[in-house]
Amino acid sequence: VDMCRPVTVFVKLWARGLASAAALRTGGGERKRLVILGTGWAGYSLFQKVNKRIFDVIVISPRNHFLFTPLLASTTVGTLEFRSIIEPIRNKGFRDEHHFHLSSAVGLDPERQEVECVSTLDSRLSYRVPYDYLVIGVGANPNDFNVPGVKEHAFYLKEISHARRIRNQILTNFELATQPGISEEERKRLLHFVIVGGGPTGVEFGAEFYDFLNQDVGKLYPDEQNTVQITLIEAKDVLSSFDKKLRAYTERLIKKRKSMKIVKAFVTSVCTTYVCATHLQIINYCSSNINMHWIYPVQFLSHANITVGEKNGKKTTTQQR
């Protein structure tokens, strides 16, 4: 909450200044049309604070809710339910029910002051929305660092739909691991999860998943608990943007957990059945032919094996089926 406070204060001041300017321009007459693109932190905060007696506020977004992203990782393992971290945008009230558009903004005509939209519900439906003021708060796409294969074979953890798919896959793996006819190697493959990216999202997901193993898996899947492995791959230090003491504490805590380990490496490519990574240092990681599932900055990948070797004098890790 403290991290969001500067943004909230800025939005409040900006909204007040915008309202004052609009009142001067209109002389208190017809309301100006304010179009907001996005229902994330910026767009949602502005929508809440802007004076709707002065503006007709139009919100355009492919997402009909505000998502409290710091708690998103908790929903992947059921610590929180999805509905607990979202707020439907219509709950905050519009002057007119037609002022919210469940659509994507795909073009902008600044001369005509129009936004070109395509409906999220029907891609054949496109239209233009005029504006007097336009606020673009659409955020950004997840950064895959141009690693080949990430978009095709992995899931991001940025939206509720991503968390739901990860939760379903985790439960599917555990259920499949208990079924007759599953070999020991196959069971290890199903229950080995890897987090690539040691930032706040990766570390938080790892902590949530570890708590899930201790609190839920022991009760629901006692025979599988000791088979589960979580590997965190990070090219630099975990939580590199945070204080040095906090980084060191986090690493010590992870290393103490027998079912978790940290590997310092760069992931260079991802395919359906294997991942390639270049080690930055020699690490006692694992033997060859260990199967795993992969999550890339908490993203999910299908099964693969790991073999360790060298290429051009550098340690490499290749996962093959």
Side-chain angles (χ1 to χ4, degrees):
V1 175
D2 292 337
M3 295 175 63
C4 304
R5 183 172 177 80
V7 176
T8 303
V9 172
F10 173 78
V11 168
K12 285 181 178 179
L13 295 175
W14 190 87
R16 289 173 185 171
L18 185 62
S20 299
L24 289 173
R25 288 183 57 182
T26 61
E30 183 181 353
R31 287 187 299 271
K32 291 290 184 178
R33 175 178 282 239
L34 170 64
V35 174
I36 301 174
L37 304 183
T39 52
W41 291 95
Y44 184 73
S45 298
L46 177 60
F47 175 70
Q48 286 183 295
K49 304 302 179 184
V50 73
N51 190 339
K52 297 178 181 64
R53 291 175 297 179
I54 299 176
F55 295 99
D56 277 335
V57 182
I58 314 298
V59 178
I60 302 171
S61 174
R63 188 174 71 183
N64 64 356
H65 57 269
F66 165 73
L67 172 64
F68 191 77
T69 48
L71 295 178
L72 185 59
S74 300
T75 64
T76 60
V77 293
T79 304
L80 293 175
E81 285 303 319
F82 302 117
R83 64 179 181 272
S84 301
I85 64 169
I86 64 173
E87 178 66 30
I89 191 69
R90 287 191 181 275
N91 283 3
K92 291 303 177 180
F94 288 87
R95 292 185 61 86
D96 187 307
E97 64 188 80
H98 301 92
H99 284 177
F100 175 70
H101 298 262
L102 192 62
S103 301
S104 297
V106 297
L108 175 62
D109 188 338
E111 294 184 358
R112 294 185 177 181
Q113 291 189 292
E114 292 179 339
V115 178
E116 183 180 353
C117 303
V118 174
S119 171
T120 303
L121 305 175
D122 186 351
S123 59
R124 297 170 299 178
L125 178 61
S126 62
Y127 56 92
R128 289 175 172 259
V129 176
Y131 65 86
D132 295 304
Y133 297 96
L134 177 65
V135 176
I136 301 176
V138 296
N141 291 325
N143 189 356
D144 58 16
F145 300 97
N146 295 320
V147 176
V150 171
K151 293 180 180 178
E152 295 81 2
H153 308 297
F155 302 139
Y156 299 100
L157 184 55
K158 191 175 186 294
E159 302 287 349
I160 283 289
S161 59
H162 300 154
R164 186 176 286 111
R165 291 174 68 187
I166 290 174
R167 184 198 284 195
N168 290 341
Q169 188 67 61
I170 290 172
L171 295 177
T172 297
N173 286 8
F174 275 101
E175 288 297 331
L176 188 57
T178 65
Q179 293 188 346
I182 299 297
S183 67
E184 185 64 20
E185 287 299 312
E186 178 72 357
R187 198 158 64 94
K188 289 180 180 179
R189 176 183 68 79
L190 290 168
L191 301 179
H192 191 173
F193 300 86
V194 178
I195 303 167
V196 179
T201 301
V203 171
E204 186 178 358
F205 176 82
E208 290 286 353
F209 198 85
Y210 184 80
D211 290 342
F212 170 70
L213 296 181
N214 289 327
Q215 298 171 12
D216 297 314
V217 172
K219 299 176 182 178
L220 303 175
Y221 308 97
D223 292 340
E224 320 305 329
Q225 186 175 21
N226 295 328
T227 305
V228 179
Q229 287 292 317
I230 306 172
T231 302
L232 175 64
I233 298 180
E234 169 56 52
K236 300 180 181 179
D237 295 325
V238 296
L239 300 178
S240 58
S241 61
F242 287 75
D243 179 75
K244 184 177 181 180
K245 292 183 179 179
L246 180 59
R247 297 200 305 267
Y249 171 78
T250 302
E251 287 197 16
R252 287 198 305 270
L253 197 61
I254 293 175
K255 290 176 181 178
K256 286 181 181 179
R257 298 172 171 178
K258 65 177 183 178
S259 59
M260 292 187 70
K261 62 181 67 177
I262 300 176
V263 174
K264 290 194 174 183
F266 284 111
V267 173
T268 57
S269 64
V270 184
C271 295
T272 305
T273 57
Y274 67 90
V275 173
C276 295
T278 302
H279 276 253
L280 301 180
Q281 61 185 38
I282 298 175
I283 298 174
N284 184 16
Y285 178 37
C286 59
S287 61
S288 62
N289 299 324
I290 299 296
N291 294 301
M292 63 187 293
H293 282 255
W294 188 57
I295 298 176
Y296 184 87
V298 190
Q299 302 166 4
F300 212 80
L301 181 69
S302 58
H303 30 286
N305 293 336
I306 303 176
T307 57
V308 180
E310 292 189 2
K311 183 178 181 180
N312 298 328
K314 297 182 179 179
K315 283 284 181 179
T316 62
T317 298
T318 303
Q319 303 173 0
Q320 298 177 334
R321 186 151 190 180

